Amino acid sequence: MQDGIAELKAALPAGAWTQDIDIIAPHLTEWRDKYFGQTPIMLTPRSTQEVSDAVRICAKHKLPIVPQGGNTGLVGGQTPQNEVLLSLKKMTAIREVNPTSNAMIVEAGATVQAVHDAADTANRKFPMLIASQGSCTVGGILSTNAGGNHVLKYGTTKELVFGVEVVLPSGEIFNGLTSLRKDNTGYDLNRLFLGAEGTLGIITAASLKLFPKPGFVQRALLAVESATIAVALLDTLRAGGQLAMFEVMPAIGYRAVVDNIDSAKDPFDARHPWYVLVDWEVGSEAEGAALAENLLGKAFEANLIRDAVIAQSDTQAIQLLNIREHMSAGQKFLGGSIKHDITVPIDKIPEFFALADAAVEAVVPGSRPVGFGHFGDGNIHYNIAQPEGADRETFLANWDALSQPIFDICDELGGSISAEHGIGIMKREDLAARADPVKMSLLRSIKAALDPDRIMNPRVMV
Ligand SMILES: Cc1cc2nc3c(=O)[nH]c(=O)nc-3n(C[C@H](O)[C@H](O)[C@H](O)COP(=O)(O)OP(=O)(O)OC[C@H]3O[C@@H](n4cnc5c(N)ncnc54)[C@H](O)[C@@H]3O)c2cc1C
């Protein structure tokens, strides 16, 4: 290892690597303080060529590499355990914005917020709405196939990409940057790298899809009786095809936010059991008001909603979204939390809650489920807060005991143990144990074909 590191230091420019522990430290822990890492060196290349040079040296010495973007991943995939850490944080250029092709070529270290800003300047929309967008990067969202709040209308990251530029484990550069909507010339190689979590190569740039900006976004926060009613409400609110967001929050999680986070205020006078946050993308403000009045009127008549707040200004729309965006932060006020990112067919959500809540109560009585999130995609962040007054560490020791029954229920209902966060190191063993053997064999064959020496994020996924 020492020879390889010496060669990296000699070959790369001074600004492209560091061993300064104060600079490296923030890259070795993550948002939830769940994973802690170490590394002999952090590489911070500034160009695709520098990434390629670095990877060639690592390949020569069989030095394993962990790529890192914004370090907001939630399954431990970006935290090195003595591997070389390769941060994309210095590769942030927007290389090209093409409004005619509705395409943007951007480097992997640019944040999602920077992509939004560049799209906005060109009067276009990049439809990835995600609470971590100020920090998470293009390389990160592609590598985890991130979801977010607009999947209902626009799909996951995989649907938002034309192609990628990748440094392969050999150091060669695969150039898939294109804005072609039609290109049937062989296997879809670009897609191989989407959701690969850095196990097949390092994404250095991407060609992203842009969309026309909607004339107006009508937002509303609705109070409902139960998760079952929330699911029933979805059909009413998506009539007409303009629904772009359908996010659901139970009272326990909602109150943890509005009672503890200064910037989040409860717009309702009364307390309610569940809340639903929706966006409709429409042509104009008047159209938004009429649509909300019409659809919410029908929902009231059908006894699907208890109360509703229709955003009356941009400021109020931001305030309503702010509650949803703080759902993860709010749960820190409930003590220790065991987290799941699962998906089931939308019609099975009520059954999932009935089975999962009972299973949780049987394993750790008094635990408090906080199942929230993207119900419009069948994706539930089924987090479990510790019983009131329990010891945090004692509760967290139940992580596996609580997760396995939840995963069993997902399997039974035809769901997935990872909806949008990926496998990382957190669910690697679960994937191996639960996935179809033919699928596992294909995943392993692809890994072996592209990365025979297993230098790319070797502890992750497969
Ligand atoms: C408050 C909060 C809210 C969140 N909300 C959502 C949500 O709604 N939906 C959702 O899907 N996720 C969500 N996440 C999770 C996280 O933001 C996403 O997984 C995001 O895609 C990670 O991006 P990143 O740049 O931080 O990647 P990192 O955390 O740095 O890395 C994630 C994985 O990608 C790999 N990787 C990173 N960059 C590259 C690259 N250039 N080439 C190859 N591999 C690479 C890493 O090795 C690692 O395996 C949330 C996280 C937080 C903290």
Side-chain angles (χ1 to χ4, degrees):
M1 182 182 254
Q2 288 314 321
D3 288 352
I5 288 169
E7 194 173 335
L8 283 168
K9 286 160 66 175
L12 295 174
W17 60 271
T18 180
Q19 291 181 305
D20 182 334
I21 192 58
D22 291 334
I23 297 174
I24 296 176
H27 298 262
L28 299 180
T29 180
E30 42 83 86
W31 190 77
R32 295 184 306 196
D33 287 337
K34 184 166 169 58
Y35 297 101
F36 300 92
Q38 49 191 335
T39 184
I41 189 166
M42 179 166 80
L43 309 181
T44 54
R46 293 150 314 169
S47 66
T48 303
Q49 191 55 54
E50 282 182 10
V51 176
S52 168
D53 294 344
V55 172
R56 273 185 204 281
I57 294 168
C58 291
K60 178 175 152 194
H61 294 272
K62 297 191 172 38
L63 278 182
I65 306 168
V66 173
Q68 190 179 91
N71 194 17
T72 67
L74 296 175
V75 288
Q78 73 278 18
T79 311
Q81 299 299 339
N82 228 21
E83 294 94 349
V84 170
L85 177 59
L86 192 148
S87 167
L88 280 298
K89 68 179 181 181
K90 290 187 180 164
M91 290 186 61
T92 59
I94 309 280
R95 291 190 192 161
E96 185 187 326
V97 180
N98 185 332
T100 308
S101 294
N102 269 333
M104 177 194 298
I105 296 180
V106 58
E107 290 186 346
T111 62
V112 171
Q113 187 58 51
V115 172
H116 277 265
D117 294 345
D120 197 54
T121 304
N123 196 28
R124 293 291 183 274
K125 174 184 170 100
F126 180 66
M128 157 77 45
L129 182 63
I130 178 170
S132 53
Q133 67 193 39
S135 307
C136 70
T137 62
V138 168
I141 61 165
L142 267 61
S143 298
T144 58
N145 185 27
N149 297 350
H150 276 171
V151 172
L152 182 66
K153 178 164 182 192
Y154 294 98
T156 61
T157 307
K158 277 180 185 166
E159 310 304 326
L160 308 178
V161 181
F162 287 112
V164 286
E165 177 188 84
V166 181
V167 172
L168 301 174
S170 59
E172 290 168 293
I173 300 167
F174 166 72
N175 185 346
L177 297 178
T178 176
S179 61
L180 295 179
R181 285 168 195 270
K182 293 186 167 181
D183 178 13
N184 286 347
T185 52
Y187 301 134
D188 191 347
L189 297 177
N190 286 293
R191 281 232 169 186
L192 263 187
F193 301 97
L194 307 179
E197 301 183 36
T199 60
L200 299 180
I202 297 172
I203 297 175
T204 45
S207 177
L208 303 177
K209 291 183 185 170
L210 303 180
F211 294 79
K213 269 208 265 186
F216 185 71
V217 178
Q218 180 63 65
R219 184 163 293 156
L221 181 66
L222 318 170
V224 300
E225 196 63 47
S226 65
T228 304
I229 299 281
V231 174
L233 180 63
L234 175 62
D235 217 32
T236 306
L237 301 191
R238 69 184 167 193
Q242 286 139 313
L243 191 66
M245 176 165 80
F246 188 86
E247 295 291 311
V248 179
M249 301 168 276
I252 180 173
Y254 183 92
R255 294 241 64 85
V257 175
V258 297
D259 291 346
N260 294 298
I261 293 182
D262 288 344
S263 64
K265 297 274 167 281
D266 186 358
F268 293 109
D269 293 331
R271 294 182 174 218
H272 299 281
W274 287 79
Y275 300 85
V276 182
L277 184 67
V278 296
D279 273 356
W280 291 281
E281 291 189 347
V282 291
S284 68
E285 195 168 343
E287 196 188 321
L291 183 79
E293 202 177 311
N294 174 25
L295 296 182
L296 295 179
K298 286 182 180 157
F300 267 119
E301 273 170 32
N303 278 328
L304 292 173
I305 49 180
R306 294 161 57 119
D307 203 352
V309 172
I310 300 172
Q312 300 297 331
S313 63
D314 287 352
T315 309
Q316 197 180 12
I318 290 167
Q319 285 167 350
L320 298 182
L321 181 63
N322 196 32
I323 300 173
R324 166 64 186 88
E325 298 224 308
H326 281 94
M327 281 298 285
S328 299
Q331 280 162 61
K332 293 194 174 181
F333 295 93
L334 300 174
S337 179
I338 294 179
K339 302 191 186 274
H340 302 98
D341 161 48
I342 62 92
T343 183
V344 292
I346 298 173
D347 61 301
K348 298 278 199 293
I349 290 177
E351 199 178 343
F352 171 82
F353 272 104
L355 294 169
D357 290 356
V360 165
E361 182 60 23
V363 177
V364 183
S367 304
R368 294 168 294 165
V370 189
F372 72 100
H374 321 292
F375 283 28
D377 318 320
N379 179 188
I380 305 161
H381 296 309
Y382 189 75
N383 297 346
I384 307 164
Q386 66 180 57
E388 265 176 292
D391 175 64
R392 186 175 188 277
E393 297 312 318
T394 310
F395 173 69
L396 292 180
N398 293 300
W399 199 294
D400 209 41
L402 279 167
S403 295
Q404 293 310 319
I406 304 299
F407 293 162
D408 289 345
I409 294 165
C410 286
D411 288 345
E412 193 183 318
L413 298 180
S416 166
I417 63 168
S418 177
E420 59 175 7
H421 294 164
I423 297 297
I425 54 171
M426 185 192 256
K427 295 180 183 169
R428 181 178 144 138
E429 286 174 20
D430 297 305
L431 178 73
R434 291 171 182 275
D436 168 23
V438 178
K439 172 176 173 165
M440 278 316 293
S441 160
L442 280 172
L443 290 176
R444 289 187 179 120
S445 302
I446 292 167
K447 171 75 174 168
L450 268 77
D451 184 18
D453 291 324
R454 296 187 63 85
I455 65 162
M456 282 293 166
N457 226 351
R459 289 170 303 100
V460 162
M461 195 196 303
V462 279

